[in-house]
Amino acid sequence: LPRDLASGAPLPEKAVMITVDDGYTSNYDLAFPILKEFNAKAVIALITHCMDYVDWAMTWDMCREMAQSGLVDFGSHTHNFHKYDETYGTYGIQRRPKESQAEYEARVFADLQTSIDLIEANVGQEVLYFAYPHGKTDRWSDQFLREHFKVTTTTQAAPADISKGLYQLAR
């Protein structure tokens, strides 16, 4: 779990971190029983705008039950930036063309803070993990992410190398 990585505790030789994005109900209906059966742990990055709002997303009650099991941590996958912005041709937290840094920070940081606040208020866990939507990073977000999360992941398909730090890890 991100909290295990962030603590600096020694890891097994071939450690695996199970990461799941979006917060689909199948995380609760299908994955959670398997996690319990094998006493395995996972982190789920939530699109908080969808919680209790769309039929494919888990409810906060489901998240609380999973968190209370000790097997699941919850992280951010943004509040409402997990989509392709057709107007600007950008994904997730990417900077828009001609957007100033101040405009970017007001738009993106408010969204990320909303996701953090909602998870902490509804699940009761500190949010330590962020999964980049569509794996798209932007250097203008780096400082904010380091101040608010201990672990971040992209969608790059490769083994994660924690010797280089816990940010922008491949999966």
Side-chain angles (χ1 to χ4, degrees), residues 63-79:
C63 294
R64 278 188 289 277
E65 180 183 344
M66 295 171 85
Q68 289 168 356
S69 75
L71 300 175
V72 180
D73 275 359
F74 288 94
S76 172
H77 204 33
T78 74
H79 176 63

Side-chain angles (χ1 to χ4, degrees), residues 5-73:
L5 280 177
S7 75
L11 298 173
E13 185 178 332
K14 294 186 179 189
V16 173
M17 183 168 72
I18 300 170
T19 62
V20 182
D21 292 351
D22 302 337
Y24 288 94
T25 57
S26 61
N27 299 169
Y28 179 82
D29 296 332
L30 303 175
F32 189 41
I34 294 168
L35 294 173
K36 289 191 290 189
E37 179 181 347
F38 292 98
N39 198 35
K41 297 179 179 181
V43 59
I44 300 172
L46 301 172
I47 305 168
T48 55
H49 170 75
C50 298
M51 306 301 295
D52 287 326
Y53 176 68
V54 296
D55 60 357
W56 59 258
M58 290 190 295
T59 66
W60 289 117
D61 285 338
M62 291 174 180
C63 294
R64 278 188 289 277
E65 180 183 344
M66 295 171 85
Q68 289 168 356
S69 75
L71 300 175
V72 180
D73 275 359

Side-chain angles (χ1 to χ4, degrees), residues 116-129:
I116 293 166
D117 293 345
L118 285 169
I119 295 167
E120 289 181 350
N122 286 285
V123 180
Q125 284 183 341
E126 180 182 11
V127 180
L128 302 175
Y129 174 74

Side-chain angles (χ1 to χ4, degrees), residues 69-90:
S69 75
L71 300 175
V72 180
D73 275 359
F74 288 94
S76 172
H77 204 33
T78 74
H79 176 63
N80 197 24
F81 281 167
H82 187 276
K83 55 189 174 257
Y84 177 70
D85 188 329
E86 292 181 24
T87 303
Y88 298 99
T90 59

Side-chain angles (χ1 to χ4, degrees), residues 95-109:
R95 176 175 355 152
R96 293 174 174 168
K98 299 182 182 178
E99 185 173 40
S100 72
Q101 188 160 356
E103 292 167 334
Y104 174 85
E105 290 177 1
R107 180 177 63 86
V108 173
F109 297 175

